[in-house]
Amino acid sequence: MMLAGLFLMWGREAWHLTQLLIEPVYFVSGLNFPIARLGVLGSVAISILPLAVGSTRCASLPSRDRVPAGTPSPAVEALISSGWWSSSSPSAAGRLAILEHAPVTKGVSRFAAMTTDGLAAPEWGGFDPARTRGGGWPDVRRSFVTAVRLGWQMEANWTDPILFFIYSVAKPLAATLILVVMLDVISGGSRPDYRAFVVIGSALWSFVLAGMSGLAWMILDDRERYRMLKYIYVSRATSSR
Amino acid sequence: MAFGGFVMSSTRAAAVLIIGRPCYGVTFSIDQWALLIGVFLLTLAALYGLG
């Protein structure tokens, strides 16, 4: 949400920032190699983004490749993740508030400038929930379900769900096969214990990409193709104010 | 909408783990399922918060 907020303000320029961060985040996520090999740096990395906790612990790696010394307890890691979440949410909300109130020309906000005569935003340029109908928990639930379904369909490009599922599963499975064969060739078949790590890493790496660039890409996609974000934004169910 | 993409990623990850386990002959040893899922979900929340 933090980078997506920047995307709203800066447009495509923020995309470079996202691209800049993806590889370092991949690195500290510890999904591509046992993070314990980095020593103290590994314990710092695993503290920042504890994705590697699961992959190293589930895979029954040799003792030298398990979680590095100095890694915080799961409770502390949970606190760090909560801190990430709680600090990024207000940050994104703050940028949205800046956008709502940012004067463009002659005191008219960007959102007000997008509306037509008679349907203009209030003088302060924001969203007035009193002008809308509906609301309440059923509307929120319906909007959420519709958004999830829409997101899934956009991801699948409205193709046959079964065909898309087979394709989207076959590709990472084939990629995993490549890594498993590479591992067996390099180790001479003597380290089957690393296979689990490779499989877990291959299964989870897409979360890093989806988390880091998914929201930002959604805004870019909407601005350049679908152009529905402003309507979703002013609908009653998306605003709690 | 981002949650829809998350559902897709979760489905793909689950399928890779379920199919990859017998295909590649791997074993997972998990002692604390609740802790694992909890930390994983919190990490994803942090990751999506950053993105």
Side-chain angles (χ1 to χ4, degrees), chain A residues 66-215:
Chain A
R66 285 182 192 152
V67 179
T71 301
S73 67
V76 175
E77 282 170 351
L79 274 175
I80 293 170
S81 293
S82 303
W84 267 104
W85 171 255
S86 55
S87 63
S88 56
S89 300
S91 168
R95 270 187 293 279
L96 199 56
I98 290 171
L99 269 177
E100 280 181 346
H101 295 89
V104 178
T105 51
K106 298 177 183 176
V108 180
S109 82
R110 293 183 189 195
F111 286 109
M114 285 190 289
T115 58
T116 56
D117 291 340
L119 293 174
E123 282 183 13
W124 56 275
F127 170 66
D128 180 10
R131 297 186 183 189
T132 62
R133 284 182 289 182
W137 181 244
D139 274 1
V140 173
R141 186 183 57 80
R142 190 170 57 225
S143 300
F144 181 73
V145 171
T146 306
V148 169
R149 193 171 160 216
L150 183 63
W152 199 91
Q153 286 181 321
M154 283 169 65
E155 188 93 1
N157 201 21
W158 282 270
T159 190
D160 179 18
I162 296 173
L163 185 69
F164 180 68
F165 180 77
I166 291 170
Y167 167 74
S168 62
V169 168
K171 194 175 172 184
L173 268 177
T176 310
L177 177 64
I178 293 171
L179 292 174
V180 167
V181 171
M182 283 170 64
L183 177 67
D184 277 359
V185 169
I186 292 167
S187 67
S190 62
R191 303 311 301 265
D193 42 348
Y194 281 105
R195 277 190 196 170
F197 183 82
V198 168
V199 171
I200 294 171
S202 300
L204 298 184
W205 74 269
S206 63
F207 283 108
V208 177
L209 192 65
M212 287 291 296
S213 63
L215 288 167

Side-chain angles (χ1 to χ4, degrees), chain A residues 36 39-44 66-72:
Chain A
V40 178
L41 183 61
S43 65
V44 172
R66 285 182 192 152
V67 179
T71 301

